[in-house]
Structure formats: C-alpha cells, structure tokens
C-alpha cells in the first residue's frame, strides 16, 4: 500500500492499518491509499479521508471562589467556565480530586483553617489547560466568647433618661452581629438583631413593678454563635430615685470619657 498525506507520498506499508509516528501540525489533513498486487500493478487512490489534528488546550478556567469565611466544612466552589471545555479537573490543596463536567464543586469535611482550590479545563480530545489561579476559603469553626453585658441598676424610673433603658455590652473583636433577647414583665421575650453593642428600649409606657431582663449572644463573620451572656435585670419603680448614674461603665473601653 502507498499512503499519501496532504498530497505527498508518505510511506509504503504492507498492513491495512497505519499509525502515524511523526507529528502532524495542528489543522485539517487528508490521507488516501493505493494498493499494488504481487506483480507491482498499482490501483488508483482511494477517496481521501479528512481528519483534524488539535493539540491546543482550552484556556484556564476562572479563579474558583466560595463563601469565606465559613463554618461550613463542605464549601461549594464555583468558577467562570472556559471556552471549549468539556470537563474540569479539580485540585484541592494541590491534591487531584478528579473531574466534574461543570462547576460547582463541593469540598468534603474540610478541617478548620485555610484551603485553596484550582481547576484545569479539558476539551473533548483531552487537551488540558494550565491550572487556574488559586481560590481560597477560610473554614472557621470556633465561636466567639459570650459578650459581657453592663450591669443594670436594681431599680429604675420609667421616666429617667428620657424613658429609655440602655443595654450595653463588650464583645470580642471578631463579633460582628448580636442577638439581644429581653423580656418585660409577663410578655413573651423579644429578640433584636443588632450590629452594634448598644440598644435603647423605650420603657416610658410600662407599669410600676415590671421586671425587665436581658441577655445577648454574638456571631462572627463565619456565622459561629457564642453562648448567651449572663442575664441582667432591673425593676421599674416610679417612686424611688433612679440609680442610673452609678452603674458600672463598660470596660475595657476606647471611650476616654466613660
């Protein structure tokens, strides 16, 4: 058999199959074959077979990203898909985690700490891109300590301080959100979501003898919640002087005039 590639004589072979051992350039190619008998009589060429060589990898996918910080040990990663990609190989902390056909990819049981993820893109022929830039997630499983609430006076007048009862507390630096729970008399407890360490409650319309109790808990940026603070309480008294002026100030404090 005479094998012709792209109009040029390529090789003579005695078998009916042939594997290219020399590299062909990327692009479209044609191959056709003629046959000879034992006396050297050659046939015409076969119809050409057209094939395409493609060794060019797709571009790398986008940087993987996941919600961070998080208290989820199974974070979900997404990335911008690469043009021409048929699947993606995922590397978690430089360990090959196999393939996904498309984002997202979900990590499993990551320990507390920092973790990174990269991905490569593969086309239908298996050409593989370079790794993407590295995305990072911070897994935080440690809750903040419970806040410390400022003590309230034993008794307070509902007309003192403009009829406002002030709750204040000190929290760790990583606390960004607070649940303040308070109750007044026999009413059901109320919970207020706050992003500051102070809350003013209007007590001007409450009756004499009503007991107000409150406590607070903190959350960090990962969503970890502390335990509840200690309970503080005061009782409304319309007859005796208010003692708000001698309450213990919040400490430590950055206020030069506590």
């Amino acid at each position: 058999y005479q094998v012709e590639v792209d109009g040029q004589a390529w090789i003579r072979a005695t078998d009916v199959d042939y594997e290219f051992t020399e590299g062909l350039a990327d692009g479209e190619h044609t191959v056709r074959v003629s046959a000879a008998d034992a006396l050297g009589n050659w046939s015409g060429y076969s119809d050409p077979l057209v094939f395409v060589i493609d060794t060019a990898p797709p571009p790398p996918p986008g940087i993987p990203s996941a919600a961070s910080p998080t208290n989820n040990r199974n974070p979900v990663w997404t990335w911008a898909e690469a043009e021409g990609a048929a699947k993606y190989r995922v590397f978690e902390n430089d360990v090959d985690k196999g393939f996904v056909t498309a984002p997202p990819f979900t990590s499993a049981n990551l320990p507390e700490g920092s973790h990174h993820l990269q991905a490569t893109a593969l086309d239908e022929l298996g050409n593989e891109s370079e790794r993407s830039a590295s995305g990072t997630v911070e897994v935080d499983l440690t809750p903040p300590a419970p806040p410390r609430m400022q003590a309230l006076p034993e008794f307070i007048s509902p007309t003192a301080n403009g009829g406002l009862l002030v709750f204040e507390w000190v929290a760790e630096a990583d606390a960004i959100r607070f649940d303040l729970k308070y109750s007044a008399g026999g009413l059901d407890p109320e919970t207020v979501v706050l992003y500051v360490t102070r809350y003013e409650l209007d007590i001007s319309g409450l009756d004499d003898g009503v007991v107000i109790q409150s406590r607070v808990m903190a959350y960090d940026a990962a969503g970890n919640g502390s335990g509840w603070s200690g309970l503080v309480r005061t009782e409304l008294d319309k007859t005796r002087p208010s003692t708000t002026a001698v309450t213990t100030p919040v400490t430590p404090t950055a206020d030069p005039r506590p």
Side-chain angles (χ1 to χ4, degrees), residues 65-76:
S65 63
S68 181
T70 180
N71 58 5
N72 179 10
R73 297 184 62 190
N74 307 306
V76 178

Side-chain angles (χ1 to χ4, degrees), residues 102-113:
F105 170 79
T106 303
S107 296
N109 298 319
L110 295 181
E112 187 167 27

Side-chain angles (χ1 to χ4, degrees), residues 9-109:
W10 187 263
I11 196 170
R12 288 190 175 183
T14 57
D15 296 325
V16 294
D17 55 26
Y18 171 71
E19 179 179 352
F20 287 93
T21 57
E22 296 183 30
L24 294 175
D26 277 18
E28 186 177 276
H29 300 275
T30 59
V31 60
R32 60 180 188 165
V33 180
S34 67
D37 61 19
L39 299 177
N41 299 305
W42 287 93
S43 72
Y45 277 101
S46 65
D47 291 333
L49 171 69
V50 179
F51 62 97
V52 176
I53 299 294
D54 177 10
T55 62
I63 302 174
S65 63
S68 181
T70 180
N71 58 5
N72 179 10
R73 297 184 62 190
N74 307 306
V76 178
W77 301 83
T78 60
W79 55 84
E81 297 196 53
E83 183 178 358
K87 61 182 177 179
Y88 300 89
R89 189 195 305 269
V90 177
F91 297 87
E92 181 184 82
N93 297 326
D94 296 320
V95 176
D96 187 344
K97 305 299 286 188
F99 299 98
V100 294
T101 55
F105 170 79
T106 303
S107 296
N109 298 319

Side-chain angles (χ1 to χ4, degrees), residues 140 142-145 172-176 219-221:
D140 178 4
T142 304
E172 290 187 343
D174 64 343
I176 63 168
Y219 297 87
D220 61 20

Side-chain angles (χ1 to χ4, degrees), residues 145-149 169-172 178 216-218 226-230:
R148 301 186 306 278
M149 289 201 75
W169 55 92
V170 175
E172 290 187 343
F178 306 94
V216 67
M217 66 180 297
S226 73
W228 288 102
S229 69

Side-chain angles (χ1 to χ4, degrees), residues 186-205:
L187 299 178
D188 292 335
E190 297 279 349
T191 300
V192 183
V193 178
L194 300 164
Y195 296 88
V196 293
T197 58
R198 176 186 172 95
Y199 181 70
E200 296 179 347
L201 176 65
D202 186 355
I203 60 173
S204 60

